[in-house]
Amino acid sequence: MNKHIKTAETEFPVLDLIQMRWSPRAFADKPVTETDMHTILEAGSWAASSGNEQPWKYVYAMKGTPGFDTLWNCLMEGNQGWTKHAAVLMVAIARKTFTRNGKPNVHAEHDLGQSNASMFLQAVSMGIYPHPMGGFFPDKVREVLSLPEDEKPVCMIAWGYPGDPEMLDEKNKQSELQPRSRKHFSEFSKML
């Protein structure tokens, strides 16, 4: 196992992929292939979706391409420093209306999240790690991608193989090295 993977310590047994999934900021200088991205996107296509609407769209670019620079320029400054090392940048977009009738789809972002989660677990099974981000400029994404009004950029995702935390600035390095933690499930669940 890669020495830079932070595995979750759980009270109850969960899938290994769930324990291994986390959001690194340090990425190795190793490309993610187009075939690997297609495999990851295939996993996303099989996520649960209201009425099989699949109200998601992904726009991505590989490091070293003009598309990567276009997406990178949509990130807030705090995310630009470490994402420049990612192998792939992606925008996850929710379509806010149903294709069948044009009515509002209030579950679109939920369904996009389901697709993201499926892609994340698939990627981790391949040794590729995603880092989703809310620190970006949605209006800039909308402009550079010429998105229609019913498509909402929800998050951006950096993808790559985990790298050495020593490559990061001090703030991000400390975050990278801290143990993972989560609220105990009793804090957000209740049996009736």
Side-chain angles (χ1 to χ4, degrees):
M1 177 182 285
N2 185 314
K3 68 180 181 176
H4 302 299
I5 303 299
K6 297 195 309 187
T7 304
E9 297 293 326
T10 62
E11 182 178 345
F12 293 93
V14 299
L15 295 173
D16 289 346
L17 289 176
I18 293 172
Q19 284 186 289
M20 292 171 56
R21 194 233 44 93
W22 69 292
S23 302
R25 289 177 177 82
F27 289 107
D29 186 19
K30 180 179 177 182
V32 172
T33 68
E34 192 171 347
T35 299
D36 286 342
M37 286 309 298
H38 290 169
T39 300
I40 291 165
L41 288 160
E42 173 84 17
S45 74
W46 291 99
S49 169
S50 178
N52 200 24
E53 179 69 20
Q54 295 179 244
W56 51 73
K57 177 167 132 180
Y58 296 99
V59 177
Y60 66 99
M62 308 299 204
K63 182 179 178 180
T65 67
F68 187 97
D69 296 338
T70 297
L71 295 180
W72 186 82
N73 283 318
C74 294
L75 291 167
M76 290 183 178
E77 184 179 347
N79 286 327
Q80 286 184 328
W82 59 269
T83 54
K84 65 186 175 192
H85 300 291
V88 178
L89 284 178
M90 175 183 278
V91 180
I93 301 161
R95 190 180 55 256
K96 301 184 294 185
T97 57
F98 285 104
T99 54
R100 63 181 173 266
N101 58 21
K103 292 184 179 179
N105 180 354
V106 298
H107 303 293
E109 290 181 50
H110 170 272
D111 290 354
L112 171 67
Q114 293 259 40
S115 180
N116 286 350
S118 291
M119 291 195 314
F120 293 177
L121 294 179
Q122 177 65 45
V124 169
S125 80
M126 300 161 65
I128 299 167
Y129 281 74
H131 188 125
M133 300 165 280
F136 72 102
F137 298 102
D139 289 341
K140 193 168 186 178
V141 168
R142 180 178 299 290
E143 178 185 336
V144 299
L145 298 181
S146 301
L147 296 180
E149 187 56 39
D150 72 336
E151 292 183 358
K152 178 182 178 182
V154 174
C155 71
M156 290 186 67
I157 308 165
W159 302 85
Y161 293 93
D164 188 342
E166 293 299 323
M167 71 190 304
L168 300 169
D169 63 38
E170 195 56 36
K171 178 185 173 214
N172 285 313
K173 182 169 102 173
Q174 289 307 314
S175 179
E176 196 85 346
L177 296 173
Q178 289 178 345
R180 292 179 62 197
S181 65
R182 287 292 191 268
K183 293 179 184 176
H184 190 271
F185 62 82
S186 62
E187 294 183 52
F188 60 78
S189 65
K190 177 174 120 176
M191 183 189 304
L192 292 179

